Amino acid sequence: MTQVMTTKAGNLARLRGSLRGARIAPLAYFTVAQWREDAQRCLSQIASSLGDGPLIVRSSCRREDGAGASHAGEFLSLLNVSPADLPQSIDQVITSYGTPEAEDEVLVQPMLQDVQRAGVVFSHDPNTCAPYIVANWSEGGDTGYVTGGYGGRTWQGAALSPYGPPDEIAGVVPLIRELQGLFGEVPLDCEFAVTREAGNDVLWLLQVRPLHLARTSESPEAQARRLALIAEKVERGMREHPFLMGRRTVYGVMPDWNPGEIIGIRPKPLSLSLYRDLVTDAIWAYQRNNYGYRNLRSFPLMPHFFGLPYVDVRLSFNSFVPADLDDTLAARLVDYYIDRLLAEPELHDKVEFEIVFSCYTLDFPQRVQRLAEAGFRENEQALLAHSLRRLTNGIVHPETGLWKTDAAKLETLNRRREVLLGSGLDTLARIYWLLEDAKRYGTLPFAGLARAGFVAVQMLRSLLAVGVFTQADYDAFMGGLTTVSGQLGHDMASLERDVFLAKYGHLRPGTYDILSPRYDEAPELYFDWANKPPAPAHRPAFVPSEQQATYTEALLREHGLHCSAQELFSFIRSGIELRELAKFHFTRNLSDALSLAAAYAEQHGISREDMAYCHIGALQELHIAAADPAEVLMRSIEQGKAQYQETLRVALPPVILNPESVWAFELGKTEPNFITQKQVTAPVSDCDAGSDLKGRIVCIPNADPGFDWLFSHAIAGLITAWGGVNSHMAIRAGELGLPAVIGCGEASYRHWAQARRLRLDCAARRVEVLA
């Protein structure tokens, strides 16, 4: 017979003695009315049922676990209460109810002893509303550590997954399935603990209540069919390929062109298709090959699994191998890189700095020791050094470096855009050519300048590693950069509104998102024109000392790098600054194309919201074909909406190591990127436009140049879930001297974003929740 949910105490009382998957501790409970009528009788009941050991006094308010909404964690529970303190503790719990009802209850149980771990387990994922079993636990006996959002370990598995959780919580899956059977398959939220008795683990159920989902869940069978297709795709991708080095691959949301940061974990179809078209289907490989790396043309970098974009890491690692390197050594390198990522998946957003050798740097002899430890012979290390040195010389050369040619293409992009927008071409032709030019004269040179930017940052870090620069010098160098994004703060303070918007109006948070308003479409949303911020303090360009320049000159000669110290310093500065400038210019083409697409759709009775589900290929098809515009667009939109509903139901780990992790995975630890050496203590805010952000630590899941409006609000610090050490926001934070934690991962982000007040200590690489 199906059980009916009542109160916390009532549910546990009915289950006690009949539950097979876990124990339930002895309990005593009574209503507020009973306590007020005869407190002594209630205390006698507790004494006779539970003895005189330490107790836990728990809330069991009727509002806490009702059918309409959950108030989980809203009311008080008190631990380690002695019998003498029971009356006061019970009164405190009742007071936490606010205005208690007579039928509200108080639950008292003995404290469990020798608790090894405690946590919560859901029958469904609250984020996707899909039938994933999600367990979050921590070592020790305080479930409040995880129920209060303080992290711990998290495992997630599909309802019909053939792969179970870690041994430490092996019993939670049978337990949640048993409870679902008892309560009629409704979504459930349970608290559990594991104690140690006679050398064995014992699982205890502390609470069961309904889990309130934002929408109706699909069936486990429907979920399993989808995951089977994803696992099959992953398995195919793991096989050897005749034109690729490396025995297998890994998929990640952050390595290389980091889609998790740029378009998000679950982008809508238009954003996903635009990013593929402009960058990851072809441009990425074409330009990398131009810069001296292996030819990966015709290999799309970013597969997606029902709309969740991932980077094929084997492709990425192949593309970082110098083109002139022997195939045998190249294959060993790629396998080594992948093995390293498998061993340390937390490095997935730092592969170019911690795993891959993509350029020659002044600390290369120290870094290459990792290869020696992995069994690479001295002659193999020398061959790699020779290839990387030649490649790096070609990039940093003060006269013939490819980055100089790429920088010149930006002028062509801007000139052609003005001609195009001033022409008599129809809207579809303008959209088509804006995007074609964005590729040829925008993302293609941007890919090159981004490569130069990565080499520049690695060179700068190597100057720190070999002792030319101190950490203070490094920070001063970054702080003295002049990027177009940095200029935004100065221009906001000095330019008139219309002049400012003419320069920056094309920017939009979510560069590829048609639903994100441009600055010039909703200027009041982003900026307070009545209270302009003061111009940021001028930070002069860092000038290395004569001694530093002399030391660098000697190192360059020693390592066979064909540039002077001053030319190297100039390259580093230009490489970082031009990368940001290229991004600024090509996104104008993209932003204009999105605005034209929205206007074109509106002419045919289609909303901007619907266009977010349209594939960019539909607009390209309309440019070259005679067809009914509304019919073509709506067909793509309907397909996109159906696909996006599938996207919303899928949960995958940030790094997919094997097909099994499609079905079940534990979220691994993430090593955030701490920017600057500063400290700040401040209240926490999300990035809602129009809110007061001054003096606050702002939390945003991911960020691109369109989020630069944040810096006009004198924020105190920044935290992002996704982003690498060389991402746009990392560069901006370093330039501004803003303490920031970039790419902290989903678990830490949720924890910190829920806090009211944080302390960031970037020098100590520490974030502390204060409230």
Side-chain angles (χ1 to χ4, degrees):
M1 181 177 176
T2 301
Q3 300 274 3
V4 177
M5 285 280 179
T6 59
T7 61
K8 180 190 301 183
N11 292 335
L12 292 176
R14 287 205 313 276
L15 291 170
R16 191 166 185 269
S18 62
L19 193 66
R20 299 188 304 275
R23 295 185 193 176
I24 297 174
L27 53 86
Y29 66 101
F30 42 83
T31 66
V32 170
Q34 290 170 333
W35 173 254
R36 289 176 173 171
E37 288 170 6
D38 194 345
Q40 191 57 50
R41 181 177 180 183
C42 296
L43 292 172
S44 298
Q45 175 194 351
I46 295 170
S48 61
S49 301
L50 308 181
D52 58 1
L55 303 169
I56 177 171
V57 182
R58 308 178 64 191
S59 62
S60 184
C61 180
R62 291 162 63 88
R63 285 170 286 153
E64 192 167 359
D65 303 315
S70 173
H71 294 265
E74 186 173 323
F75 308 116
L76 190 64
S77 290
L78 297 173
L79 310 178
N80 291 307
V81 176
S82 68
D85 292 332
L86 261 178
Q88 177 185 352
S89 299
I90 292 169
D91 284 336
Q92 285 182 259
V93 170
I94 292 173
T95 299
S96 75
Y97 297 169
T99 304
E101 298 178 6
E103 295 305 308
D104 286 338
E105 297 168 342
V106 176
L107 167 65
V108 184
Q109 293 179 285
M111 288 292 297
L112 295 178
Q113 302 301 307
D114 199 15
V115 176
Q116 303 296 301
R117 60 197 64 90
V120 297
V121 58
F122 300 149
S123 64
H124 293 67
D125 177 7
N127 298 310
T128 63
C129 300
Y132 287 98
I133 297 173
V134 183
N136 185 203
W137 76 100
S138 63
E139 298 303 306
D142 184 6
T143 60
Y145 184 81
V146 291
T147 58
Y150 291 93
R153 294 172 62 183
T154 300
W155 174 86
Q156 184 159 340
L160 300 181
S161 169
Y163 309 102
D167 291 343
E168 298 97 317
I169 58 162
V172 300
V173 171
L175 172 62
I176 202 80
R177 286 174 175 161
E178 180 184 0
L179 290 169
Q180 279 199 282
L182 292 172
F183 287 104
E185 303 302 323
V186 299
L188 297 178
D189 168 1
C190 304
E191 291 186 18
F192 68 89
V194 177
T195 63
R196 196 76 171 161
E197 291 184 11
N200 296 312
D201 284 348
V202 178
L203 180 63
W204 298 80
L205 177 66
L206 306 181
Q207 181 169 307
V208 57
R209 59 189 169 212
L211 176 65
H212 301 281
L213 302 175
R215 58 184 179 273
T216 303
S217 177
E218 66 179 343
S219 70
E221 291 74 20
Q223 178 192 58
R225 286 192 293 271
R226 185 184 308 108
L227 294 183
L229 291 172
I230 298 175
E232 180 186 1
K233 173 71 173 78
V234 169
E235 191 278 328
R236 293 201 310 270
M238 295 285 176
R239 299 172 189 169
E240 293 189 27
H241 192 290
F243 307 137
L244 288 176
M245 302 294 108
R247 298 186 304 271
R248 54 160 298 165
T249 193
V250 174
Y251 296 100
V253 298
M254 282 303 299
D256 216 344
W257 281 93
N258 44 39
E261 178 187 8
I262 303 302
I263 55 175
I265 301 301
R266 293 183 177 84
K268 288 190 170 67
L270 181 58
S271 296
L272 178 62
S273 60
L274 272 170
Y275 194 52
R276 288 180 54 195
D277 187 50
L278 291 182
V279 178
T280 65
D281 276 356
I283 293 295
W284 79 281
Y286 186 91
Q287 189 66 308
R288 199 157 288 176
N289 183 221
N290 287 343
Y291 270 63
Y293 298 94
R294 290 183 73 89
N295 184 355
L296 273 295
R297 299 180 189 191
S298 300
F299 282 99
L301 179 66
M302 189 181 72
H304 67 89
F305 305 119
F306 283 91
L308 276 69
Y310 279 78
V311 165
D312 185 328
V313 177
R314 175 167 57 181
L315 287 178
S316 172
F317 286 170
N318 270 260
S319 77
F320 285 130
V321 175
D324 62 355
L325 200 65
D326 172 78
D327 280 358
T328 302
L329 180 54
R332 288 191 62 206
L333 277 173
V334 171
D335 282 333
Y336 162 75
Y337 295 154
I338 291 175
D339 289 344
R340 180 93 189 279
L341 184 58
L342 288 169
E344 300 180 78
E346 65 271 17
L347 298 179
H348 71 120
D349 62 343
K350 305 174 183 65
V351 295
E352 198 165 347
F353 294 96
E354 301 292 342
I355 294 179
V356 170
F357 293 89
S358 63
C359 67
Y360 192 94
T361 56
L362 298 176
D363 63 342
F364 183 83
Q366 291 85 7
R367 292 195 303 127
V368 82
Q369 289 305 307
R370 297 202 308 259
L371 293 182
E373 294 165 4
F376 286 81
R377 298 185 300 274
E378 285 190 15
N379 68 310
E380 292 174 322
Q381 298 170 44
L383 286 171
L384 176 61
H386 177 72
S387 287
L388 288 175
R389 186 182 294 110
R390 181 161 51 188
L391 180 148
T392 304
N393 275 323
I395 293 175
V396 306
H397 195 281
E399 296 176 2
T400 61
L402 287 175
W403 60 277
K404 286 184 172 290
T405 305
D406 282 332
K409 290 179 183 178
L410 301 178
E411 297 179 10
T412 304
L413 175 72
N414 292 332
R415 185 178 66 252
R416 286 176 62 93
R417 182 176 58 250
E418 295 306 314
V419 171
L420 180 61
L421 294 177
S423 72
L425 288 177
D426 63 84
T427 301
L428 285 171
R430 292 185 184 190
I431 294 170
Y432 177 84
W433 284 108
L434 280 169
L435 295 179
E436 285 300 302
D437 276 7
K439 286 184 281 191
R440 187 173 295 108
Y441 306 110
T443 55
L444 183 64
F446 168 67
L449 292 170
R451 178 92 321 262
F454 266 93
V455 173
V457 172
Q458 291 194 70
M459 281 292 190
L460 184 60
R461 288 163 65 104
S462 75
L463 289 169
L464 175 63
V466 298
V468 174
F469 286 172
T470 65
Q471 184 65 55
D473 293 333
Y474 182 98
D475 292 344
F477 193 105
M478 295 298 293
L481 295 173
T482 303
T483 69
V484 65
S485 298
Q487 187 62 37
L488 183 148
H490 293 277
D491 287 346
M492 178 63 192
S494 61
L495 296 181
E496 294 296 323
R497 180 179 183 274
D498 291 346
V499 178
F500 176 86
L501 291 176
K503 184 175 182 179
Y504 299 101
H506 69 282
L507 294 174
R508 61 173 92 222
T511 297
Y512 294 80
D513 185 2
I514 197 172
L515 297 180
S516 179
R518 292 163 50 125
Y519 288 1
D520 57 11
E521 290 175 342
E524 314 303 329
L525 192 63
Y526 302 114
F527 304 102
D528 184 354
W529 303 97
N531 299 289
K532 283 192 172 186
H538 175 69
R539 305 182 73 188
F542 176 76
V543 179
S545 69
E546 184 177 343
Q547 182 180 10
Q548 288 172 323
T550 301
Y551 187 12
T552 302
E553 200 82 47
L555 286 171
L556 290 169
R557 287 195 300 271
E558 177 186 338
H559 288 277
L561 294 177
H562 303 157
C563 62
S564 69
Q566 291 305 324
E567 288 168 340
L568 177 65
F569 299 145
S570 177
F571 165 77
I572 293 173
R573 184 173 293 106
S574 297
I576 299 171
E577 292 176 349
L578 284 170
R579 173 185 177 226
E580 300 304 306
L581 181 65
K583 195 179 300 181
F584 181 81
H585 286 304
F586 93 72
T587 57
R588 187 183 292 274
N589 271 49
L590 171 56
S591 189
D592 287 346
L594 285 172
S595 295
L596 288 170
Y600 181 78
E602 187 178 359
Q603 292 173 9
H604 296 281
I606 298 171
S607 69
R608 185 184 291 252
E609 287 71 23
D610 279 347
M611 276 302 292
Y613 298 97
C614 183
H615 193 285
I616 190 58
L619 289 165
Q620 293 166 333
E621 178 67 14
L622 285 172
H623 169 63
I624 62 173
D628 184 314
E631 181 181 330
V632 171
L633 293 178
M634 286 309 301
R635 187 187 310 123
S636 180
I637 289 167
E638 289 168 6
Q639 183 179 19
K641 285 184 174 180
Q643 291 173 342
Y644 194 64
Q645 287 304 307
E646 304 256 32
T647 302
L648 292 176
R649 296 186 178 106
V650 178
L652 295 171
V655 182
I656 300 175
L657 304 176
N658 48 48
E660 291 83 356
S661 57
V662 170
W663 292 93
F665 56 90
E666 183 176 346
L667 287 177
K669 64 178 181 178
T670 298
E671 294 293 336
N673 303 291
F674 287 86
I675 310 301
T676 78
Q677 300 292 298
K678 295 185 177 181
Q679 303 175 10
V680 66
T681 300
V684 179
S685 177
D686 59 22
C687 64
D688 283 346
S691 58
D692 183 11
L693 303 179
K694 183 178 180 180
R696 291 180 169 268
I697 296 170
V698 176
C699 295
I700 48 179
N702 55 290
D704 56 27
F707 281 88
D708 280 350
W709 67 273
L710 289 172
F711 303 117
S712 71
H713 290 263
I715 64 175
L718 181 68
I719 294 175
T720 73
W722 306 108
V725 66
N726 201 33
S727 65
H728 173 82
M729 280 300 172
I731 297 296
R732 281 297 279 126
E735 180 185 2
L736 293 171
L738 182 76
V741 184
I742 305 298
C744 66
E746 285 183 286
S748 293
Y749 179 79
R750 290 177 188 171
H751 174 201
W752 295 335
Q754 291 170 0
R756 296 192 301 275
R757 192 173 184 84
L758 291 174
R759 180 174 181 267
L760 307 188
D761 185 344
C762 294
R765 303 181 62 82
R766 176 179 172 81
V767 180
E768 184 178 357
V769 176
L770 302 179

